[in-house]
Amino acid sequence: MTINTPYIGRFAPSPTGDLHFGSLVTALASYIRAKSFSGKWLLRIEDVDIYRNQKGSDLSIINSLLQHGFQWDDEIVYQSNRSHIYKEYLNKLSLENKVYICNCSRKDLQKSVKNIETGEYLYQRTCFRKNIQFSSNQSYRVKTEPSNISFYDHLQGFFTQNIERDVGDFIIWRKENFASYQLAVVIDDELQNITEVVRGYDLFVQTPRQIYLQNLLNFRRTEYFHIPLVIDMFGNKLSKQNKAKPLNLQTPEKNLIQALDFLGLEENALRHLRKNSYNCKEIINYAIKNLNLNLMFQTKSKELNSTL
Ligand code: GLU
């Protein structure tokens, strides 16, 4: 499997809190991967879900990235400015009869079966044949097919999912009148010409849904590289929802070296970095030359998982 060049990667944080160690790891992995292919690295603020955004988080994330020596190419894209674009694609899918309106409540959904793997409810197509006329406050679901979607992840290997069986018709437009994460991310990756998506393993199982949408919309397929999650001492993913601590901005060099340790930079190289007082940009440049992200699973990252 080869990587398309010119390479364009991205980091796409949701502004739901400050940057924490887990998101630093993701940013760093995607940056190193992009720069090791002499590619571009874009920054996209995924603020499509207005109810989850936290005021000021975008600026705090941008500031943390700058403090850690990251430099993005092109202008920062905010999803909140792109609603009209997402709407156009929704209309296209609607005209092609590939989506339908659903007015089931959360309560209705809870009556359906849960997929053990994803923890999500499998929608029973209750609204599929109802032919509901449009009015405000209704969501749209995409019709799924019983075929398998397979993809190759450059770190995790092959994965196959039957969307209809394992996920069901999923929401692409929320009743609060904005695009779902799935629709927005697929459109943005296409329009920004992203060639590879590097992100946390929590989104691995959602990837076939995104490929399904790429196919429906006749978009290119991106490459994928899902990195292991940083977990806390209770076994939970470090996340803003789990109240992960914000990064200490007094020690950006130390944070970067710790992230590189997680990403599998070998002991000698880590020692080298600790011994020399490099600044953040120098640390990142050193990592671009010396870190092979593909070896991540053969290193001690798992050990580190349990101590964070
Ligand atoms: N916005 C998502 C997050 O902050 C990442 C989405 C993606 O990389 O596709 O977890």
Side-chain angles (χ1 to χ4, degrees):
M1 188 81 49
T2 51
I3 290 284
N4 299 334
T5 46
Y7 184 108
I8 306 183
R10 47 63 158 193
F11 176 54
S14 303
T16 51
D18 297 323
L19 205 70
H20 54 75
F21 183 72
S23 31
L24 177 69
V25 164
T26 308
L28 193 55
S30 63
Y31 193 87
I32 290 173
R33 187 95 176 141
K35 296 304 164 186
S36 63
F37 286 102
S38 307
K40 279 188 171 186
W41 187 73
L42 309 184
L43 178 58
R44 178 165 78 225
I45 302 292
E46 296 208 324
D47 56 351
V48 69
D49 184 342
I50 47 173
Y51 297 104
R52 284 186 62 219
N53 296 337
Q54 233 185 64
K55 212 165 172 263
S57 277
D58 57 333
L59 296 181
S60 135
I61 291 172
I62 291 168
N63 179 44
S64 296
L65 290 171
L66 288 171
Q67 299 279 323
H68 285 85
F70 290 93
Q71 240 173 330
W72 44 92
D73 299 290
D74 303 349
E75 268 183 30
I76 302 176
V77 163
Y78 277 77
Q79 288 188 325
S80 53
N81 295 333
R82 296 164 68 77
S83 210
H84 59 290
I85 303 177
Y86 308 141
K87 192 75 185 232
E88 262 173 46
Y89 285 99
L90 171 71
N91 290 342
K92 180 174 182 299
L93 290 173
S94 183
L95 284 173
E96 290 169 0
N97 228 357
K98 291 174 178 164
V99 292
Y100 60 93
I101 293 173
C102 169
N103 56 13
C104 289
S105 65
R106 210 171 275 259
K107 246 199 182 139
D108 294 331
L109 266 183
Q110 284 165 0
K111 290 177 200 143
S112 35
V113 192
K114 235 186 195 178
N115 176 332
I116 313 168
E117 211 181 308
T118 62
E120 294 168 303
Y121 291 102
L122 292 171
Y123 186 61
Q124 303 298 306
R125 292 212 160 128
T126 326
C127 291
F128 182 53
R129 270 170 246 286
K130 286 192 189 160
N131 211 1
I132 301 166
Q133 290 311 301
F134 179 77
S135 69
S136 51
N137 295 342
Q138 282 157 331
S139 45
Y140 281 80
R141 287 182 185 273
V142 69
K143 275 186 215 153
T144 54
E145 301 284 335
S147 54
N148 285 343
I149 298 273
S150 301
F151 75 102
Y152 175 77
D153 183 283
H154 287 273
L155 194 59
Q156 311 287 342
F158 282 100
F159 183 62
T160 299
Q161 196 176 50
N162 181 313
I163 309 271
E164 190 190 50
R165 187 195 60 208
D166 301 337
V167 179
D169 298 348
F170 56 94
I171 301 263
I172 62 159
W173 198 267
R174 302 259 305 263
K175 68 175 187 322
E176 300 88 351
N177 200 21
F178 56 81
S180 73
Y181 156 66
Q182 308 294 356
L183 182 66
V185 81
V186 162
I187 294 173
D188 289 341
D189 285 340
E190 167 73 11
L191 299 186
Q192 293 190 286
N193 293 312
I194 301 300
T195 56
E196 185 181 61
V197 168
V198 179
R199 60 186 175 193
Y201 184 72
D202 51 335
L203 292 167
F204 181 71
V205 75
Q206 304 205 19
T207 306
R209 262 169 264 192
Q210 296 175 13
I211 295 174
Y212 188 75
L213 286 178
Q214 286 166 359
N215 294 345
L216 281 189
L217 291 163
N218 287 322
F219 288 170
R220 293 163 300 113
R221 183 180 295 194
T222 50
E223 305 286 332
Y224 292 97
F225 194 99
H226 285 88
I227 58 170
L229 296 179
V230 183
I231 53 174
D232 64 18
M233 61 207 275
F234 306 108
N236 298 318
K237 175 198 165 198
L238 276 200
S239 71
K240 296 156 203 157
Q241 287 89 328
N242 290 332
K243 307 249 176 310
K245 276 193 305 207
L247 286 163
N248 179 355
L249 295 184
Q250 304 304 315
T251 59
E253 296 84 7
K254 196 170 151 223
N255 303 340
L256 282 175
I257 296 173
Q258 197 181 358
L260 290 170
D261 191 354
F262 180 85
L263 289 171
L265 187 66
E266 45 160 60
E267 208 47 63
N268 281 341
L270 288 169
R271 223 174 290 126
H272 174 84
L273 287 178
R274 289 192 185 109
K275 211 167 59 201
N276 291 283
S277 33
Y278 288 157
N279 65 31
C280 287
K281 285 202 165 74
E282 289 165 337
I283 293 173
I284 293 180
N285 285 337
Y286 180 85
I288 293 166
K289 293 194 195 97
N290 292 282
L291 173 64
N292 182 353
L293 283 169
N294 288 90
L295 299 180
M296 204 183 306
F297 278 141
Q298 294 160 29
T299 65
K300 55 190 167 47
S301 60
K302 292 215 175 75
E303 239 172 74
L304 239 170
N305 272 350
S306 56
T307 59
L308 267 156

